């Protein structure tokens, strides 16, 4: 009967080696064995995976609990897939198809990979910072009396490359974490001292240590492995340690690549003394000396277990783990190894060293001693408990649209009043809303909501101005029951927070409905993090205001042009730009439901690709007040608002021109139509509430027709089918004209697209509208040009 007992350190060490092999073979197979039909480089990161092998194997097979959440270094993706495969959470076919269609993803993905990915990574640095915001969200949820607290707290863990610390968003995140009392967060830095283009600067370690210490983190340095510490205890070992500490990064890497003989020559020349140090070196063969010098803290399972398990408590902790890039492979230490790959000969050498026979390359435990014991060990790993770590939370019912009256108002003001109306209720939806803003809470009309629902803090803090009887419109109290998380003025942090809060149902089993507000032009400052949040399928409501050149007095620096196109192009984000408060009321009620959808669909053929599966929502609002139409917003009209457009003035068979507007230019479009009506022209007015949804529906209908669904027809198809072919269309938006310019392609109508293409300047609204040709007179002039001279 096979022996099923195995030492823990020995087991994890064996699985570390196996993970290196599988990750290396996966990349080699994808690049050199699998047919490459298009000749484009497949890629992969053998060296970057190898440097993290012991770190990740020790965590996954020895330290992590099911409640812990991990963001894996993007370039260690093959290693992650290999570990998941060893745990039985990944299929062999997915590894065979690594970086191929349907295979394991190039970088870990919550939505594309089938195994247990907690946090997507890819854009370096974002996954690292995301863990801090996930930890803050965990604290937020656990402070609420409506949330379950029978689940243990998890640690939010980032596995980061040292080069990722060049990313500025990491330092923005550190400051925010310090302000909010960050807890239960580990960052494990793979300090291999190499990046894509070279070796890192000397002294980086000291800077990293100083930064984290300044923000209250515990810093744990994992520099020496057990073999090295034992050597340091030998006679002459102190001099060896001093030499290692003084050795420049590039020299250490170069000697690692050259091997044991080079180590011996260099050490003998620089510290050999024909005494204790020489004896220390002589007691070891070249291979043993190479192993000793490679035995840095980040490669020693014994040392890693000791330090990880000693890091008790909830203080945020950074582990700076010294490693060698390419450790355990022929690429170790070479400065070109980031994108470099092992040759066929080097892979054959590695295969022989691992004792893997031909045909056994994919076998999980091939080449390892005592495989039955190793399998029993894997089956007993706490992190591999067998149950899904993806949690869920019931859908929260929406109370219906909150209508706020018909007086003149802006959409930004209406947003604040709608949210205030929700804040007055004791509904489950109001309880689950959490708002956040990068230091623009008041100027984006969240003030009334915060007055009623307070700011979140883990400990009660009184409003000192109120306590001192100083009048203020802001009656803000910090409390664990608070529902607004105030952020500093960094948009990257806003989107990372929205991403973390928007995954609370999956990560922590409690649904949140996050609302984030910011100035519309500054969406671009956090666009990478916004894309990242959407790629994870996080759910949130993004409210961007004020927008366009309608923010006339602020000048070009605060005016937005391209943001409607961002809303259309960003996957996972349904974009709206309503003109009137009643439209906004319907859209917000729909958005709270849409954010919670999780059904299966055929998104390639659905009328609107994400209507079944759901997603996040972006509202582009304005500070400019408009007179509100007196009407009942319900039934077919409300449905059309969500579909993306409705007829404010429908076309007749004699229609000569359609004025299609989106957003705040409603008043200009209506006035232009009135001017043209005075010319006895028949003019229709199309109110577009979402160019994004109109376009998505149109694209989906076209795909449906190409797939044989002859009757597939989109909402905009149906609307424009009522317009005679001889009529023209004039589109108008306080944004880039391409947002609506495509409408003429739907049914072949002549089209003139009006909008803003250049940076704005200061002035009055009427000055800027006239300057950019989006005022009523310009819309009317463009419309007359389509009359054909009649």
């Amino acid at each position: 009967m096979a022996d099923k007992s195995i030492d823990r350190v020995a087991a994890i060490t064996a699985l570390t080696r196996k993970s290196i092999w599988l990750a290396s073979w996966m990349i080699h197979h994808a690049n050199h064995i699998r047919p490459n039909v298009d000749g484009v480089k497949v890629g992969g990161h053998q060296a970057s995976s190898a440097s993290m092998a012991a770190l990740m194997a020790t965590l996954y097979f020895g330290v992590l609990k099911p409640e812990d959440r991990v963001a894996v270094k993007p370039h260690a993706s093959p290693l992650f897939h290999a570990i998941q495969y060893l745990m039985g959470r990944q299929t062999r076919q997915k590894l065979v198809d690594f970086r191929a269609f349907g295979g394991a993803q190039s970088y870990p993905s919550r939505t594309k990979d089938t195994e247990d990915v907690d946090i997507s990574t890819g854009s370096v640095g974002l996954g690292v910072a995301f863990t801090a915001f996930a930890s803050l969200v965990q604290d937020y949820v656990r402070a609420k009396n409506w949330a379950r607290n029978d689940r243990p707290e998890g640690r939010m863990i980032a596995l980061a490359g040292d080069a990722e610390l060049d990313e500025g968003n990491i330092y923005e995140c550190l400051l925010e974490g310090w302000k909010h009392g960050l807890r239960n967060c580990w960052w494990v830095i793979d300090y291999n001292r190499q990046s894509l283009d070279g070796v890192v600067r000397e002294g980086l370690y000291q800077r990293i240590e100083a930064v984290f210490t300044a923000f209250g983190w515990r810093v744990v340095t994992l520099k020496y492995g057990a073999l090295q510490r034992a050597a340091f205890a030998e006679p002459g070992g102190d001099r060896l340690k001093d030499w290692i500490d003084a050795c420049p990064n590039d020299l250490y890497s170069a000697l690692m690549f050259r091997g044991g003989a080079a180590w011996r020559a260099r050490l003998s020349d620089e510290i050999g003394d024909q005494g204790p140090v020489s004896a220390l070196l002589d007691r070891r063969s070249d291979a043993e000396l190479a192993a000793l010098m490679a035995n840095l803290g980040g490669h020693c399972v014994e040392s890693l277990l000791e330090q990880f398990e000693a890091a008790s408590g909830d203080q945020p902790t950074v582990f700076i783990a010294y490693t060698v890039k390419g450790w355990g492979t022929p690429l170790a230490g070479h400065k070109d190894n980031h994108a470099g790959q092992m040759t066929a000969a080097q892979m054959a050498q590695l295969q022989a060293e691992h004792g893997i026979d031909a045909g056994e390359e994919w076998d999980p435990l091939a080449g390892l001693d005592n495989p039955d014991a190793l399998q029993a060990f894997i089956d007993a790993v706490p992190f591999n408990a067998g149950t899904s770590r993806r949690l869920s939370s019931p859908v929260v019912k929406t109370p219906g649209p909150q209508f706020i009256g018909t007086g003149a108002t802006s959409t930004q003001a209406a947003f604040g009043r709608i949210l205030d109306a929700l804040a007055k209720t004791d509904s489950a939806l109001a309880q689950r809303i959490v708002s956040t803003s990068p230091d623009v809470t008041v100027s984006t009309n969240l003030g009334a909501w915060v007055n009623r629902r307070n700011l979140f803090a883990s400990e009660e803090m009184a409003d000192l101005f109120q306590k001192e009887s100083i009048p203020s419109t802001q009656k803000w109290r910090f409390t664990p029951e608070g529902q607004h998380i105030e952020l500093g003025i960094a948009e990257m942090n806003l989107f990372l927070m929205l991403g973390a809060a928007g995954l609370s149902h999956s990560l922590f089993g409690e649904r949140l409905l996050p609302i984030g507000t910011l100035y519309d032009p500054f969406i671009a400052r956090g666009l990478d993090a916004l894309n990242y949040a959407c790629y994870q399928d996080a759910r949130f409501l993004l409210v961007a205001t004020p927008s366009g050149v309608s923010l006339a007095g602020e000048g070009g620096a605060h005016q937005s042009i391209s943001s409607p196109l961002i809303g259309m192009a960003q996957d996972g984000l349904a974009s709206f730009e309503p003109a009137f408060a009643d439209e906004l009321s319907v859209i917000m009620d729909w958005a709270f439901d849409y954010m919670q959808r999780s059904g299966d669909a055929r998104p390639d053929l659905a009328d609107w690709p994400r209507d079944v599966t759901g997603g996040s929502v972006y509202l582009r609002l304005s500070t400019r007040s408009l007179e509100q139409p007196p009407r009942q917003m319900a039934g077919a009209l409300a449905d059309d608002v969500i579909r993306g457009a409705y007829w404010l003035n429908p076309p007749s068979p004699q229609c000569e021109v359609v004025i299609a507007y989106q957003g705040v230019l409603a008043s200009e479009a209506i006035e232009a139509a009135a001017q043209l009506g005075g010319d006895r022209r028949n003019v229709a007015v199309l109110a577009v509430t979402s160019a994004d949804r109109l376009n998505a529906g149109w694209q989906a209908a076209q795909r449906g027709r190409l797939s044989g669904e002859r009757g597939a027809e989109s909402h905009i198809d149906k609307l424009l089918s009522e317009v005679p072919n001889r009529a023209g269309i004039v589109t108008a938006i306080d944004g880039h004209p391409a947002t609506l310019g495509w409408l003429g392609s739907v049914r072949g109508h002549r089209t003139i697209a009006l909008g803003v293409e250049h940076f704005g300047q200061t002035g009055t609204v009427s000055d800027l509208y006239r300057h950019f040709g989006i005022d009523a007179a310009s819309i009317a002039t463009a419309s007359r040009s389509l009359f054909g001279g009649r």
Side-chain angles (χ1 to χ4, degrees):
M1 183 176 179
D3 180 9
K4 292 195 175 183
S5 63
I6 190 169
D7 174 75
R8 185 183 182 209
V9 171
I12 297 174
T13 301
L15 294 171
T16 297
R17 284 175 49 79
K18 173 51 67 173
S19 300
I20 290 176
W21 165 256
L22 285 171
S24 300
W25 176 251
M26 192 188 317
I27 297 166
H28 182 76
H29 180 272
N31 285 273
H32 303 291
I33 298 177
R34 192 173 68 210
N36 188 334
V37 296
D38 53 21
V40 176
K41 169 191 169 184
V42 176
H45 300 89
Q46 288 174 329
S48 291
S49 288
S51 66
M52 284 214 85
L55 289 164
M56 288 178 62
T58 303
L59 284 167
Y60 278 98
F61 293 114
V63 177
L64 296 180
K65 302 294 190 293
E67 60 270 17
D68 296 331
R69 301 290 177 178
V70 185
V72 174
K73 183 179 80 168
H75 294 157
S77 175
L79 193 68
F80 170 77
H81 294 307
I83 289 173
Q84 293 290 314
Y85 178 57
L86 291 172
M87 286 185 170
R89 294 173 177 265
Q90 177 65 288
T91 67
R92 171 174 169 170
Q93 191 60 49
K94 293 285 186 181
L95 301 192
V96 171
D97 294 334
F98 172 64
R99 291 198 171 201
F101 186 74
Q105 294 295 297
S106 309
Y107 309 109
S109 169
R110 283 182 59 87
T111 56
K112 309 295 184 188
D113 280 313
T114 54
E115 78 268 48
D116 202 10
V117 179
D118 291 317
I119 297 167
S120 299
T121 53
S123 186
V124 294
L126 293 183
V128 181
F130 188 93
T131 58
F133 290 101
S135 185
L136 295 178
V137 170
Q138 178 178 237
D139 285 350
Y140 177 91
V141 168
R142 294 180 69 85
K144 303 306 179 211
N145 57 18
W146 44 258
R148 288 178 54 183
N149 279 318
D150 57 341
R151 297 187 182 96
E153 288 184 330
R155 293 164 295 195
M156 305 298 113
I157 299 172
L159 309 176
D162 49 10
E164 289 189 80
L165 297 181
D166 289 342
E167 293 288 345
N169 69 278
I170 286 179
Y171 302 97
E172 294 174 341
C173 155
L174 283 175
L175 182 57
E176 204 63 64
W178 170 78
K179 288 189 290 187
H180 288 278
L182 178 65
R183 305 164 58 244
N184 293 317
C185 189
W186 282 10
W187 289 359
V188 182
I189 298 174
D190 175 16
Y191 192 60
N192 61 38
R193 295 167 281 178
Q194 289 184 250
S195 60
L196 175 59
D197 291 330
V199 180
V200 303
R201 294 290 191 273
E202 294 300 321
L204 176 62
Y205 167 82
Q206 288 81 1
R207 304 301 177 271
I208 296 172
E209 181 184 41
V211 167
F212 282 94
T213 300
F215 285 111
W217 286 56
R218 171 172 48 197
V219 179
V220 178
T221 304
L222 303 167
K223 187 168 186 179
Y224 316 110
L227 289 178
Q228 288 190 349
R229 295 199 304 273
F232 299 157
E234 297 177 23
D238 55 342
R239 294 188 62 191
L240 176 63
K241 182 177 182 296
D242 291 342
W243 187 93
I244 291 175
D245 290 343
C247 183
N249 293 330
D250 52 359
L251 175 59
Y252 210 96
S253 295
L255 291 171
M256 280 299 308
F257 180 74
R258 294 183 63 196
W263 278 117
R264 187 178 303 281
R266 178 66 62 135
L267 291 170
S268 297
D269 181 57
E270 297 192 2
I271 60 173
D273 58 358
Q274 304 304 310
V277 177
S278 295
L280 185 153
L281 300 177
D282 291 342
R283 283 193 293 271
R284 291 163 172 85
S285 66
D286 284 352
E288 289 169 335
L289 183 57
L292 172 66
M293 301 307 288
N295 183 237
L296 299 173
H299 298 317
C300 177
V301 171
E302 180 181 344
S303 302
L304 292 172
L305 282 172
E306 176 184 307
Q307 293 296 325
F308 285 145
E309 293 179 339
S312 58
D314 61 8
Q315 182 181 5
T317 302
V318 57
F319 298 89
I320 305 175
Y322 278 73
T323 62
V324 173
K325 197 163 190 174
W327 176 73
T329 77
L331 301 176
H334 197 289
K335 73 173 186 175
D336 298 337
N337 64 13
H338 181 86
Q341 294 177 13
M342 283 179 268
T343 64
Q346 288 173 323
M347 279 301 301
Q349 173 191 336
L350 189 69
Q351 185 167 355
E353 290 173 359
H354 283 254
I356 296 172
D357 295 334
E360 294 182 343
E361 291 88 353
W362 298 107
D363 290 0
L365 301 179
L368 298 179
D369 296 332
N370 205 353
D372 290 340
L374 278 173
Q375 188 59 61
F377 177 84
I378 293 170
D379 293 341
V381 165
F383 196 73
N384 195 25
T387 57
S388 174
R389 297 173 58 258
R390 292 281 179 100
L391 306 178
S392 61
S393 182
V395 170
V396 179
K397 186 177 179 181
T398 68
Q402 305 294 301
F403 296 111
I404 59 167
T406 58
T409 189
S410 68
T411 47
Q412 174 179 295
F415 162 71
R417 292 168 64 188
I418 292 167
L419 205 54
D420 186 42
L422 286 170
K424 295 175 184 177
T425 73
D426 194 31
S427 65
L429 181 128
Q431 286 184 333
R432 301 288 176 139
I433 291 174
V434 55
S435 60
T436 185
S437 186
D439 203 36
V440 290
T441 298
V442 175
S443 51
T444 55
N445 274 55
L446 278 175
W449 162 264
V450 179
N451 274 348
R452 294 187 189 278
R453 292 286 173 161
N454 297 308
L455 295 113
F456 172 74
S458 56
E459 296 181 359
E460 189 88 20
M461 288 187 287
D463 183 340
L464 185 62
F465 278 76
Q466 188 175 13
K467 187 177 180 180
E468 295 293 329
S469 301
I470 300 174
S472 172
T473 58
Q474 302 171 22
K475 300 176 178 62
W476 294 0
R477 181 169 60 96
F478 285 91
T479 169
E481 289 78 39
Q483 292 181 241
H484 177 77
I485 300 174
E486 184 63 14
L487 299 174
I489 190 163
E491 283 76 12
M492 293 290 282
N493 283 346
L494 171 73
F495 290 121
L496 290 168
M497 174 62 83
L498 289 174
L503 287 175
S504 180
H505 57 287
S506 179
L507 295 176
F508 308 120
E510 293 290 354
R511 186 177 300 280
L512 295 177
L513 297 169
I515 299 176
T517 65
L518 81 166
Y519 290 173
D520 190 65
F522 301 139
I523 281 181
R525 290 179 62 175
L527 197 54
D528 191 16
L530 171 61
N531 181 68
Y532 174 66
C534 291
Y535 182 67
Q536 305 218 59
D537 199 25
R539 306 302 179 86
F540 50 86
L541 177 61
L542 174 64
V543 181
T545 179
S547 64
V549 298
S550 298
L551 189 62
E554 291 286 341
H558 277 182
Q559 296 165 0
S560 56
I561 299 171
S562 62
S563 55
L565 298 176
I566 292 171
M568 291 180 69
Q570 179 60 58
D571 188 20
L573 193 68
S575 170
F576 290 85
E577 187 175 2
F580 302 115
D582 56 0
E583 298 169 355
L584 179 60
S585 299
V586 168
I587 292 166
M588 285 181 65
D589 183 67
W590 174 87
F592 288 130
D593 176 74
Y594 181 75
M595 288 157 60
Q596 302 180 71
R597 298 180 189 176
S598 60
D600 295 326
R602 295 174 64 197
D604 57 328
L605 298 179
D607 282 350
W608 302 281
R610 282 187 172 264
D611 265 13
V612 177
T613 56
S616 292
V617 179
Y618 159 41
L619 305 180
R620 187 178 192 249
L621 306 183
S622 174
T623 51
R624 183 175 173 232
S625 288
L626 299 181
E627 292 295 329
Q628 302 296 302
R631 61 187 177 186
Q632 289 290 320
M633 176 58 69
L637 177 57
D639 290 343
D640 285 353
V641 166
I642 299 304
R643 288 188 172 98
Y646 63 92
W647 288 116
L648 194 65
N649 185 39
S652 70
Q654 291 75 41
C655 178
E656 296 177 86
V657 68
V658 173
I659 299 176
Y661 72 88
Q662 178 169 288
V664 72
L665 291 189
S667 55
E668 280 62 41
I670 293 168
E671 182 182 342
Q675 292 180 17
L676 295 170
D679 296 342
R680 299 180 182 276
R681 298 294 186 179
N682 192 290
V683 180
V685 179
L686 182 66
V688 178
T689 54
S690 175
D692 178 26
R693 286 175 61 76
L694 280 185
N695 186 265
W698 180 51
Q699 298 288 350
Q702 290 185 99
R703 288 193 298 273
R705 291 192 289 269
L706 291 172
S707 300
E709 297 184 14
R710 295 182 179 179
E713 188 177 35
S714 69
H715 184 56
I716 191 61
D717 276 314
K718 294 174 185 176
L719 289 171
L720 294 185
S721 68
E722 303 174 33
V723 180
N725 290 336
R726 67 179 182 277
I729 300 175
V730 173
T731 68
I733 183 174
D734 184 0
H736 198 282
T739 309
L740 297 174
W742 58 272
L743 288 175
S745 299
V746 176
R747 301 189 73 87
H749 293 101
R750 294 170 298 151
T751 300
I752 296 175
L754 305 180
V756 181
E757 297 178 86
H758 306 289
F759 293 115
Q761 53 189 295
T762 54
T764 66
V765 171
S766 57
D767 286 339
L768 296 189
Y769 281 11
R770 186 166 52 252
H771 172 73
F772 286 108
I774 55 175
D775 60 325
S778 298
I779 295 173
T781 298
S783 299
R784 291 188 182 102
S785 74
L786 294 174
F787 290 158
R790 289 175 294 138

